């Protein structure tokens, strides 16, 4: 039986960003993608506001916008074999079973790369990185509600808008908060009407594949993506939705139909995707302090 690639690809893309995905909140730059290259328009500095000004003429400044070209990352799934007897008994359930595996693998991979990109490299005025201050447990300090309030104040100081602030919690940080206030955080990972639970102005998501940090000379810095590390300083990541982006490119299906050596059909998928901070501000992290 021939495979209709369009049907398979559409199934993979269906609900690719579910309600409980933090990537739902990122600005979608997919319209700027051409041939799997992202052309990012970057706006110049905001104009200053003068209050009760008495000096004229008012200064006029050029706004210098830039265009940056970024090649989208390629995410490839390992192949799946659909044996000949199974093909003869082809059904939607079998199709969805195979597709769901590839969809879940791609979804996790792009989210892992994205949340690492959203995490700041280090602590700055516009990209606060703080450490947890709770009780000692298994070689680290627990996350507390006070830590979240500290980060809120850092975002306030950086004049990050109050709306659309989100925290993506490491699962262990979810447990920390549940232990601190079960009633407040019993629904912390629930999504209602497409919106996550909120506390201190932050909407909450949870994701397991979070970035890690290392400490050198007392300074925290993010460990590069896909780097083998023994660091136990995992992070929860915070972002203002209008300062992070995602962009989808092509998704392609490979199919070797009726492979004689395998006595079946082999399928696999490529997906092009990128996620980045837009201006290097409005992002932050809470890192588990080691003891």
């Amino acid at each position: 039986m021939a495979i209709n690639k369009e049907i398979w690809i559409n199934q993979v893309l269906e609900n690719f960003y579910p309600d409980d995905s933090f990537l739902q909140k990122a600005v979608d730059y997919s319209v700027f993608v051409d041939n799997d290259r992202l052309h990012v328009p970057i706006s110049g500095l905001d104009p200053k506001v003068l209050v009760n000004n008495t000096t004229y003429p008012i200064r006029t400044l050029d706004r210098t916008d830039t265009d940056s070209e970024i090649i989208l990352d390629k995410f490839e799934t390992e192949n799946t074999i659909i044996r000949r007897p199974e093909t003869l008994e082809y059904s939607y359930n079998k199709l969805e079973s195979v597709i769901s595996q590839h969809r879940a693998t791609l979804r996790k991979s792009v989210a892992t790369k994205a949340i690492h990109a959203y995490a700041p490299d280090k602590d700055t005025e516009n990209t606060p990185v703080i450490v947890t201050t709770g009780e000692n447990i298994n070689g680290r300090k627990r996350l507390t509600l006070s830590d979240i309030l500290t980060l809120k104040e850092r975002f306030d100081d950086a004049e990050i808008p109050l709306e659309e602030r989100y925290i993506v919690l490491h699962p262990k940080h979810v447990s920390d908060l549940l232990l601190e206030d079960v009633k407040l955080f019993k629904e912390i990972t629930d999504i209602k009407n497409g919106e996550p639970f909120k506390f201190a102005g932050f909407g909450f998501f949870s994701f397991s594949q979070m970035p890690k940090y290392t400490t050198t000379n007392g300074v925290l810095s993010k460990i590069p993506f896909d780097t083998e590390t023994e660091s136990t300083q995992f992070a929860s990541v915070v972002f203002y939705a209008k300062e992070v982006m995602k962009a989808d490119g092509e998704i392609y299906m490979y199919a070797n139909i009726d492979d004689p050596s395998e006595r079946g059909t082999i399928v696999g998928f490529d997906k092009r995707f990128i996620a980045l901070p837009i201006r290097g501000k409005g992002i932050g992290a809470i890192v588990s302090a080691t003891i």
Side-chain angles (χ1 to χ4, degrees):
M1 181 179 291
I3 286 181
N4 188 327
K5 289 186 178 182
E6 184 177 355
I7 292 177
W8 284 64
I9 289 173
N10 288 340
Q11 287 291 102
V12 169
L13 292 176
E14 185 177 355
N15 197 32
F16 194 80
Y17 301 115
D19 285 347
D20 62 354
S21 171
F22 62 89
L23 285 171
Q24 280 271 13
K25 302 303 179 182
V27 180
D28 192 348
Y29 273 18
S30 299
V31 294
F32 300 116
V33 173
D34 181 24
N35 195 28
D36 290 324
R37 294 172 183 266
L38 174 65
H39 296 270
V40 184
I42 302 175
S43 301
L45 295 175
D46 296 334
K48 293 183 179 179
V49 175
L50 306 178
V51 179
N52 297 326
N53 177 61
T54 59
T55 302
Y56 299 94
I58 292 176
R59 186 171 59 157
T60 300
L61 299 175
D62 286 335
R63 194 184 90 161
T64 303
D65 296 346
T66 57
D67 179 75
S68 177
E69 182 181 86
I70 301 170
I71 299 175
L72 272 62
D73 292 323
K74 180 192 283 188
F75 297 82
E76 300 175 284
T77 64
E78 292 183 335
N79 298 324
T80 297
I81 300 172
I82 305 172
R83 300 293 182 189
R84 173 66 174 166
E86 296 170 347
T87 305
L88 291 174
E89 298 171 0
Y90 194 88
S91 68
Y92 174 80
N93 289 337
K94 177 62 182 179
L95 169 67
E96 177 56 28
S97 175
V98 173
I99 286 175
S100 64
Q101 288 181 312
H102 287 265
R103 183 196 298 123
T105 300
L106 287 169
R107 183 187 287 162
K108 181 178 179 180
S109 296
V110 302
T112 300
K113 188 72 161 54
I115 200 62
H116 185 275
Y118 294 169
D121 291 329
K122 60 182 180 180
D123 182 42
T124 70
E125 180 180 351
N126 289 317
T127 63
V129 177
I130 67 171
V131 296
T132 54
T133 62
E135 67 175 311
N136 299 340
I137 177 70
N138 297 328
R140 69 178 181 89
K141 293 185 177 180
R142 289 193 185 278
L143 175 67
T144 68
L145 299 177
S146 178
D147 297 332
I148 294 175
L149 293 175
T150 297
L151 195 64
K152 174 190 178 300
E153 292 177 359
R154 291 288 304 274
F155 261 45
D156 292 344
D157 292 342
E159 298 183 347
I160 305 302
L162 298 176
E163 302 82 10
E164 297 191 70
R165 295 179 180 183
Y166 297 97
I167 297 180
V168 185
L169 291 171
H170 189 285
K172 289 186 179 180
H173 285 169
V174 173
S175 297
D176 293 343
L177 296 177
L178 286 168
L179 286 171
E180 184 163 346
D181 193 327
V182 174
K183 182 178 180 181
L184 180 60
F185 283 96
K186 66 179 180 179
E187 297 180 339
I188 198 167
T189 57
D190 283 354
I191 305 293
K192 295 182 179 179
N193 299 320
E195 286 298 317
F197 183 86
K198 286 197 172 185
F199 170 75
F202 292 105
F204 285 81
F205 294 93
S206 180
F207 187 61
S208 60
Q209 304 300 311
M210 301 299 287
K212 289 185 176 181
Y213 284 73
T214 187
T215 303
T216 304
N217 298 324
V219 177
L220 276 172
S221 59
K222 183 174 66 173
I223 297 173
F225 184 73
D226 262 358
T227 300
E228 293 292 333
T229 177
E230 296 181 357
S231 173
T232 59
Q233 295 184 98
F234 57 82
S236 290
V237 176
V238 188
F239 63 87
Y240 169 52
K242 288 184 171 57
E243 287 290 353
V244 295
M245 54 72 64
K246 69 176 185 287
D248 292 294
E250 181 187 38
I251 183 166
Y252 188 83
M253 177 183 178
Y254 296 90
N256 188 3
I257 300 172
D258 289 343
D259 183 281
S261 61
E262 294 292 350
R263 294 298 194 268
T265 294
I266 303 172
V267 299
F269 293 86
D270 286 354
K271 177 173 172 55
R272 303 301 290 262
F273 172 87
I274 196 76
L276 294 167
I278 295 175
R279 297 190 298 172
K281 63 182 297 185
I283 54 176
I286 307 176
V287 180
S288 268
T290 56
I291 54 176

